Amino acid sequence: MSASRILGKDLNVKVGRDNFDEIRYEYFRDSTVALEAFKGDQIDFRLENSALFWATRYDFPAAKEGRVKLEEFPIRSRGVMQGFVFNTRREKFQDPRVAARLQLCVRFRGGEQAAVLRSV
């Protein structure tokens, strides 16, 4: 049985769909490299999961010219977060002075992390 028969390529419900000559998946170990590949028109789609990158690194020419569509999807779930988690079982994090200094590094306003995005 041919691959097109198995995938249903010739079915009437598939007309105008899935008509790609090639689908290629590329994996990047480093998110900075992946973003640069996207900026350089080497990949067609990028799903951003870093608030810092989203706020600071999408001001390249293609985005400014509208050739790249930046879209935010509504968050429909609760409990979504991005943050830092420290292993408090380690000796260096058990000192209360260290915890106090770490709290000074990040300010919260209205439940949102403000310091990281403002410092860049």
Side-chain angles (χ1 to χ4, degrees):
M1 194 177 287
S2 71
S4 64
R5 181 83 172 143
I6 293 170
L7 298 175
K9 179 183 146 218
D10 299 326
L11 295 175
N12 289 335
V13 297
K14 297 291 259 179
V15 172
R17 294 178 165 211
D18 302 329
N19 51 357
F20 301 104
D21 291 331
E22 176 184 48
I23 297 175
R24 188 174 72 209
Y25 295 94
E26 293 191 36
Y27 296 93
F28 297 90
R29 192 180 311 182
D30 186 323
S31 59
T32 302
V33 174
L35 179 59
E36 291 303 318
F38 179 70
K39 288 179 177 181
D41 202 22
Q42 300 298 309
I43 56 176
D44 297 323
F45 176 79
R46 176 163 169 77
L47 182 64
E48 186 59 69
N49 64 351
S50 167
L52 179 63
F53 277 23
W54 181 255
T56 60
R57 299 190 183 178
Y58 281 87
D59 57 352
F60 54 96
K64 290 179 181 176
E65 296 165 6
R67 293 184 289 129
V68 170
K69 184 176 181 179
L70 302 176
E71 186 174 354
E72 292 185 33
F73 297 102
I75 298 173
R76 295 194 173 121
S77 63
R78 298 199 181 258
V80 176
M81 68 167 262
Q82 182 174 6
F84 300 102
V85 179
F86 299 97
N87 185 351
T88 56
R89 293 175 296 195
R90 289 194 171 197
E91 185 178 338
K92 60 185 166 185
F93 294 121
Q94 291 179 358
D95 185 347
R97 294 173 297 175
V98 173
R101 299 306 186 274
L102 289 171
Q103 289 176 1
L104 292 174
C105 292
V106 181
R107 293 184 309 239
F108 291 93
R109 182 187 315 175
E112 296 182 13
Q113 189 173 355
V116 174
L117 298 180
R118 291 177 195 275
S119 66
V120 177

